[in-house]
Amino acid sequence: MAYAGPVHRWDVFWADLEPGVGHEQKGAERPVIVVSNDGFNRSFRMVTVVPATKLEGKQRNVYGFEVLLPKGTLTPDHASIAMPHQVRSISSLRLLEKIGTLHDARHQAAIENRLLEHLGIAFEAEEVD
C-alpha cells in the first residue's frame, strides 16, 4: 500500500521499483532517498529519488560516483551504497513506507556532488566539516 503522508527532501523510503529494465535498480522493496525539493514534492504526485543498495554480501567495489553510507544511516541492519547515477523520478504511489530521514549534512553534500557530476553540472555543494 502506498505511503499517504507528506514527503520531504532527504526522506528515506522503501519503494517499489518494479518493473525494472536492464541495469536499472529494481525491486519490490528498495530503499530510496528523496532528492527533489519540497515545493515539487508538495505540488506533484511524483518525487525524484536516488536508489540505494545494501553493501553486505556484494562482491563489488564502491565506485567514485556512488556514496557509501555507514550501517544504520538508511536501514538499521546494513551499510548502504547510494547510487546518484541511478537518479529517477517516480510516482509517489511507488513509496511504500517511510524509513526515516537522512540528516547528516556530509552525506547529503556527497550525494548532491555525485549527482551534479553525473549530470555534468559544474557546481559543487559546500562540504560540511
Side-chain angles (χ1 to χ4, degrees), residues 20-78:
V21 176
H23 293 282
E24 294 173 348
Q25 284 298 297
K26 51 190 167 265
E29 281 197 358
R30 166 79 52 187
V32 298
I33 305 161
V34 176
V35 295
S36 46
N37 69 68
D38 288 341
F40 180 88
N41 298 337
R42 276 190 308 275
S43 300
F44 295 94
R45 296 197 44 97
M46 295 190 71
V47 293
T48 304
V49 299
V50 167
T53 190
K54 68 180 179 179
L55 178 61
E56 288 82 8
K58 301 274 168 65
Q59 296 292 323
R60 75 193 262 322
N61 295 321
V62 178
Y63 299 104
F65 49 82
E66 298 175 323
V67 179
L68 179 61
L69 301 170
K71 180 179 177 178
T73 304
L74 295 189
T75 63
D77 299 325
H78 301 287

Side-chain angles (χ1 to χ4, degrees), residues 2-122:
Y3 175 79
V7 177
H8 301 284
R9 187 162 200 239
W10 303 117
D11 282 348
V12 181
F13 288 89
W14 290 111
D16 180 355
L17 299 184
E18 290 295 339
V21 176
H23 293 282
E24 294 173 348
Q25 284 298 297
K26 51 190 167 265
E29 281 197 358
R30 166 79 52 187
V32 298
I33 305 161
V34 176
V35 295
S36 46
N37 69 68
D38 288 341
F40 180 88
N41 298 337
R42 276 190 308 275
S43 300
F44 295 94
R45 296 197 44 97
M46 295 190 71
V47 293
T48 304
V49 299
V50 167
T53 190
K54 68 180 179 179
L55 178 61
E56 288 82 8
K58 301 274 168 65
Q59 296 292 323
R60 75 193 262 322
N61 295 321
V62 178
Y63 299 104
F65 49 82
E66 298 175 323
V67 179
L68 179 61
L69 301 170
K71 180 179 177 178
T73 304
L74 295 189
T75 63
D77 299 325
H78 301 287
S80 302
I81 303 169
M83 307 171 95
H85 62 288
Q86 292 270 352
V87 64
R88 66 192 271 194
S89 293
I90 62 173
S91 168
S92 299
L93 296 174
R94 288 185 175 271
L95 301 177
L96 304 173
E97 178 184 352
K98 185 175 177 181
I99 300 171
T101 303
L102 181 64
H103 292 290
D104 188 298
R106 291 169 299 186
H107 294 140
Q108 292 173 355
I111 291 169
E112 287 174 335
N113 288 333
R114 298 305 76 75
L115 184 56
L116 292 170
E117 288 171 3
H118 175 70
L119 297 174
I121 298 171

